[in-house]
Amino acid sequence: MFLKVGKRLGHILPVLLGISIVSFGLIQLTPGDPARMILGNKASVEAVEAVRERMGLNEPVLQQYGNYMLNLVQGDLGESLRYQQPVSELIMQFLPVTGFLALYVIVLTVPLTILLGILAARNRGRWIDQLIRMTSVLGMTMPVFWLAMLMLRIFSVELGWFPVSGFGTGFVGHLHHLFLPAVSVSIYLIPVLVRNLRAALLEEMNADYVVASRSKGLPEGYIFRRHILKNASLPTLNLFGVLITWLIGGTVIVELVYAIPGLGTLMFNAILGRDYSVIQGLTLFYAFSTVIITLVTDMLSALIDPRIEL
Amino acid sequence: MIARWPKSLRFGAGIVLLWLIAAVLAPWLTPADPYAIDLDNTLRPPGGDWLMGTDHVGRDVFTRVVFAARIDIWMGVMGVLAPLLIGVTIGLFAGYFGGLFDSVMMRIVDITLAFPFLILVLAIVAMLGPGITNFIIALALVAWVSYARLIRADVMVVKNAEYVQAARTLGFSSPLIIFKHVLPNTISPIIVYAMTDMVLVVLAGASLGFIGLGVQPPTAEWGAMIADGQAYITEAWWVSFFPGLAAVSFGIGLSLIGDGLARMLRIGDT
């Protein structure tokens, strides 16, 4: 087991290194001088030079990357020019809100996904499967910000059931404020997850041990509960890997619609204000989190099923 | 031939075809100029002279929805075609030849897949600057990896097939084998995936338009139009509602095509 984990960590290191190169390289994509882009056309040459110096842009690229890595290893993601604050501090400041929203979405999503996935797989081809498939297509094609706006209009403005924006105070306040945003993201997520789970369940249902149980004369419901569900727990766990990337993409836009002070809003403000170090830092942070979460799910899978190669 | 297509494929193709016709014939199908500002008739509700109402500067929403199809369809097609061509080429060669090129490419794939798709696209566009061209550049940089990975897996199987071995024994050149024998036998899943991908690309493009990183005003684009209506959502729901509906219908058409193709080509679980 330890050997496996060690091997897996060995695979992850090059990926982490690659992530750092990508997020460092982002700044190279700016058309022209990044310092000039930040300050605008009216800024004096001296001011631009000062910012260049501060960002370390006057050094050779390799040395810049060296410095970047050196800082990274110490947890330093650079400094935001807009907030005049370290990027890592900013992320920690905005993270709890997004984290709360993400957990909220997971709590709403997972039970529904499992229910719908099982329903669709067990009634494959029947009307209920078709219905779930049709609603899935609808959920997948809806722009999440459009859905969020419509729900805001109906439930917040028209009916007044939920607040229009913000994060609220206290646990219950958060739950109340973030309900519509969480539902918006869930509607966007559930179709993807149900599709995955349905496919995984169908695959299990055609496995040899199911045919064997059936030929022994065991009732279908019993086979499903005792054998298929147990074996489908792994694909369900793997859903989390899929879930996380979609979740992050979904929250970024929804936070904007509902004016939630989370990482998505931070990203958006950074883009507007050309706060490059924040954009780089957040991109790195998102990728890093994805890698870690995938690693944890893989390890859990290996714990459940020792046959899995890490 | 069409009679033998699955129902979903026929239905989806019908929707997409309608949108294509609407996009091409936009100037003749619409009653107004998509950019004509009319400050006497702002935020008029649907009905009468305005099928879908007017927006905050009095432009006809229906006209703009139809004209926006041009931008969104172009974005979808280019945003899929660029990564598809790059990804398929790299995947074919990496899978067929293996070796160092394959290892390096697959490391790049691993690294790119570590980033949440939308975040990386957003970050790249933020650096390059707003606009559709930059959006498509960002997609070409990011989205090819899925195509490369998908086709590579199939190439690894097909390259050991008897007909490929036979072609090799007969002394055909590698590029000829790759494009004449390997590609036709590995392209089906790519086509199906491209349909799903186009839904994602159109949605991502609309998202960028929504946050102001996509098309620049006053160009009509569904996401940007939804953003236009955001400030008026309480008094004029139609400004945002109809562009969103257009995006949904187009997306459904593409999804149905993908579904139908998968069924016809017997790919996946359906």
Side-chain angles (χ1 to χ4, degrees):
Chain A
M1 185 74 210
F2 282 110
L3 204 73
K4 275 187 182 173
V5 173
K7 230 172 97 185
R8 177 62 207 258
L9 285 176
H11 281 299
I12 265 191
L13 279 177
V15 174
L16 290 181
L17 196 68
I19 289 173
S20 75
I21 293 174
V22 171
S23 59
F24 167 77
L26 279 174
I27 192 98
Q28 314 287 338
L29 291 174
T30 55
D33 183 0
R36 174 58 76 185
M37 298 287 293
I38 291 167
L39 295 173
N41 285 329
K42 287 184 195 131
S44 67
V45 180
E46 291 77 31
V48 171
E49 199 44 49
V51 170
R52 279 187 68 84
E53 194 60 46
R54 210 169 131 199
M55 290 171 74
L57 290 173
N58 286 329
E59 285 157 39
V61 174
L62 268 180
Q63 197 176 338
Q64 282 182 45
Y65 177 68
N67 292 339
Y68 182 76
M69 268 313 279
L70 210 63
N71 291 334
L72 218 55
V73 175
Q74 297 165 11
D76 180 1
L77 294 172
E79 187 155 329
S80 157
L81 286 169
R82 185 187 138 107
Y83 292 91
Q84 300 286 338
Q85 224 178 321
V87 174
S88 51
E89 222 170 77
L90 276 174
I91 291 179
M92 284 307 140
Q93 205 172 309
F94 284 83
L95 177 64
V97 182
T98 300
F100 193 96
L101 178 61
L103 277 180
Y104 204 166
V105 172
I106 290 174
V107 168
L108 291 179
T109 309
V110 172
L112 255 174
T113 301
I114 293 176
L115 184 77
L116 291 175
I118 290 176
L119 260 179
R122 289 211 62 181
N123 299 292
R124 183 189 185 182
R126 274 183 242 162
W127 67 269
I128 187 133
D129 184 26
Q130 302 288 0
L131 185 73
I132 291 172
R133 185 200 297 264
M134 288 321 263
T135 10
S136 294
V137 170
L138 197 68
M140 263 169 133
T141 51
M142 265 194 283
V144 63
F145 49 92
W146 180 66
L147 179 72
M149 274 170 63
L150 293 185
M151 292 214 297
L152 190 108
R153 148 100 194 192
I154 297 169
F155 297 107
S156 301
V157 178
E158 209 100 328
L159 298 170
W161 291 354
F162 299 99
V164 174
S165 65
F167 184 46
T169 46
F171 184 69
V172 179
H174 296 337
L175 282 184
H176 191 205
H177 272 79
L178 292 185
F179 182 74
L180 287 183
V183 169
S184 309
V185 182
S186 303
I187 290 178
Y188 158 82
L189 267 180
I190 289 174
V192 190
L193 301 180
V194 168
R195 257 185 192 212
N196 270 292
L197 184 58
R198 177 181 176 273
L201 285 174
L202 283 180
E203 199 171 301
E204 285 302 327
M205 284 164 94
N206 293 323
D208 287 342
Y209 65 85
V210 175
V211 179
S213 313
R214 214 172 273 148
S215 55
K216 274 197 298 187
L218 291 175
E220 280 297 316
Y222 180 83
I223 300 174
F224 194 83
R225 281 192 305 275
R226 286 300 297 266
H227 296 292
I228 297 175
L229 272 192
K230 242 187 205 173
N231 284 295
S233 55
L234 270 180
T236 315
L237 194 60
N238 285 330
L239 275 185
F240 268 90
V242 186
L243 190 144
I244 292 304
T245 28
W246 286 76
L247 183 59
I248 290 171
T251 51
V252 167
I253 307 274
V254 167
E255 279 183 14
L256 277 183
V257 177
Y258 289 96
I260 301 161
L263 292 178
T265 306
L266 180 64
M267 179 87 168
F268 180 64
N269 288 338
I271 291 172
L272 277 189
R274 295 188 196 284
D275 206 343
Y276 293 131
S277 45
V278 175
I279 300 176
Q280 286 177 295
L282 267 175
T283 311
L284 183 98
F285 176 77
Y286 275 129
F288 191 77
S289 322
T290 314
V291 170
I292 298 300
I293 290 163
T294 317
L295 176 71
V296 171
T297 33
D298 285 356
M299 282 186 178
L300 280 177
S301 306
L303 259 182
I304 296 175
D305 186 346
R307 286 171 307 176
I308 288 182
E309 291 281 326
L310 268 174
Chain B
M1 183 193 151
I2 292 178
R4 284 167 69 190
W5 286 5
K7 215 188 279 171
S8 54
L9 180 57
R10 266 183 280 167
F11 203 60
I15 297 176
V16 171
L17 194 68
L18 277 181
W19 272 117
L20 280 175
I21 294 172
V24 172
L25 299 179
W28 294 279
L29 289 176
T30 51
D33 175 345
Y35 305 115
I37 290 171
D38 179 0
L39 293 177
D40 292 331
N41 289 308
T42 58
L43 301 180
R44 294 281 171 147
D49 283 348
W50 305 281
L51 190 60
M52 296 178 181
T54 63
D55 68 3
H56 58 295
V57 288
R59 294 175 296 199
D60 183 42
V61 173
F62 171 69
T63 304
R64 285 176 67 76
V65 164
V66 175
F67 269 89
R70 293 180 160 193
I71 302 284
D72 282 275
I73 291 174
W74 193 77
M75 219 157 54
V77 171
M78 291 309 290
V80 166
L81 214 56
L84 187 145
L85 290 178
I86 298 171
V88 165
T89 313
I90 290 177
L92 276 174
F93 281 88
Y96 190 79
F97 291 115
L100 185 65
F101 178 68
D102 185 37
S103 317
V104 171
M105 284 302 146
M106 286 310 112
R107 286 294 82 72
I108 296 178
V109 168
D110 285 347
I111 291 162
T112 313
L113 285 177
F115 290 89
F117 172 75
L118 193 63
I119 297 293
L120 192 52
V121 171
L122 214 59
I124 294 175
V125 178
M127 295 295 169
L128 290 173
I132 304 185
T133 314
N134 287 342
F135 170 58
I136 291 165
I137 293 174
L139 282 174
L141 285 173
V142 173
W144 66 270
V145 298
S146 311
Y147 290 96
R149 203 169 68 141
L150 199 61
I151 201 163
R152 177 181 171 273
D154 282 345
V155 171
M156 306 279 271
V157 177
V158 167
K159 76 170 176 188
N160 294 321
E162 279 168 2
Y163 58 86
V164 175
Q165 283 178 358
R168 217 178 287 143
T169 321
L170 288 171
F172 289 131
S173 69
S174 296
L176 188 89
I177 297 174
I178 289 175
F179 287 109
K180 285 280 289 211
H181 297 287
V182 177
L183 179 65
N185 286 293
T186 48
I187 198 73
S188 309
I190 294 287
I191 306 287
V192 172
Y193 177 74
M195 287 296 145
T196 332
D197 193 35
M198 201 180 288
V199 179
L200 279 180
V201 166
V202 172
L203 281 183
S207 303
L208 255 67
F210 178 72
I211 61 181
L213 281 179
V215 296
Q216 295 307 296
T219 311
E221 187 274 330
W222 294 328
M225 289 177 70
I226 295 173
D228 280 344
Q230 197 186 7
Y232 310 98
I233 188 73
T234 37
E235 67 258 42
W237 53 271
W238 52 88
V239 182
S240 298
F241 179 73
F242 291 111
L245 207 60
V248 171
S249 70
F250 185 61
I252 288 178
L254 291 174
S255 301
L256 289 178
I257 293 180
D259 245 39
L261 280 179
R263 221 175 271 204
M264 201 161 78
L265 302 166
R266 295 181 201 292
I267 293 161
D269 57 273
T270 49

